[in-house]
Amino acid sequence: MFEDATLGTGWQVWNADDERAVLAYRPDVFDGSTFPAPCLPTVYVSRGRLTRRPEGNRNLPPDAPWLVRLRLEPDVERAPDAYESRGDAIEGTERLTHRFSAGEIDYRSLYEVPRESYLDALDALLDG
């Protein structure tokens, strides 16, 4: 699914098949000592419903969109981007990972409870 994709700096494909993909940002530093492992920024790409998490996409209609979700922690996620085709979703994922790596995603606004010291450290990790 992502064989020829050009991802943003620090992103790697963890798992991918024809139906879904999981990408991770800098798993080398989100190891529990430098950065908390549950905070590993992750992108999920799959067909689904805008109102459901990636795990709950059973019995989809044939025209279900491809969704690209950025998750910063188990309960902190950006609203998904929807695409009509897998190819468009891959291109959208490339753009999203580049924007994230460049520090262009406002992930601070996704947090209901600010974690300033962690977010400052994440800012320093990004290219932007």
Side-chain angles (χ1 to χ4, degrees), residues 16-63:
D17 59 33
D18 290 341
E19 298 299 318
R20 65 185 59 113
V22 180
L23 293 80
Y25 179 73
R26 295 291 311 268
D28 59 316
V29 298
F30 285 87
D31 58 5
S33 60
T34 308
F35 286 91
C39 296
L40 174 69
T42 310
V43 171
Y44 295 88
V45 182
S46 65
R47 286 184 54 239
R49 296 180 178 93
L50 288 171
T51 57
R52 287 209 162 157
R53 291 198 178 266
E55 316 68 56
N57 292 327
R58 294 184 180 28
N59 303 318
L60 292 173
D63 62 345

Side-chain angles (χ1 to χ4, degrees), residues 25-124:
Y25 179 73
R26 295 291 311 268
D28 59 316
V29 298
F30 285 87
D31 58 5
S33 60
T34 308
F35 286 91
C39 296
L40 174 69
T42 310
V43 171
Y44 295 88
V45 182
S46 65
R47 286 184 54 239
R49 296 180 178 93
L50 288 171
T51 57
R52 287 209 162 157
R53 291 198 178 266
E55 316 68 56
N57 292 327
R58 294 184 180 28
N59 303 318
L60 292 173
D63 62 345
W66 282 86
L67 302 176
V68 177
R69 298 176 189 271
L70 171 63
R71 201 176 274 172
L72 296 163
E73 295 185 28
D75 293 321
V76 179
E77 115 178 13
R78 180 177 173 268
D81 298 320
Y83 299 93
E84 290 186 23
S85 72
R86 183 175 75 170
D88 290 343
I90 292 170
E91 289 176 11
T93 301
E94 290 175 324
R95 288 189 301 272
L96 177 64
T97 61
H98 282 279
R99 289 179 53 223
F100 183 90
S101 296
E104 297 173 4
I105 301 290
D106 179 19
Y107 48 80
R108 288 176 179 263
S109 67
L110 302 175
Y111 283 81
E112 291 181 25
V113 178
R115 298 180 54 195
E116 293 305 322
S117 61
Y118 165 71
L119 294 173
D120 289 345
L122 183 57
D123 288 344

Side-chain angles (χ1 to χ4, degrees), residues 7-24:
L7 303 175
T9 303
W11 285 95
Q12 66 181 17
V13 177
W14 260 13
N15 189 356
D17 59 33
D18 290 341
E19 298 299 318
R20 65 185 59 113
V22 180
L23 293 80

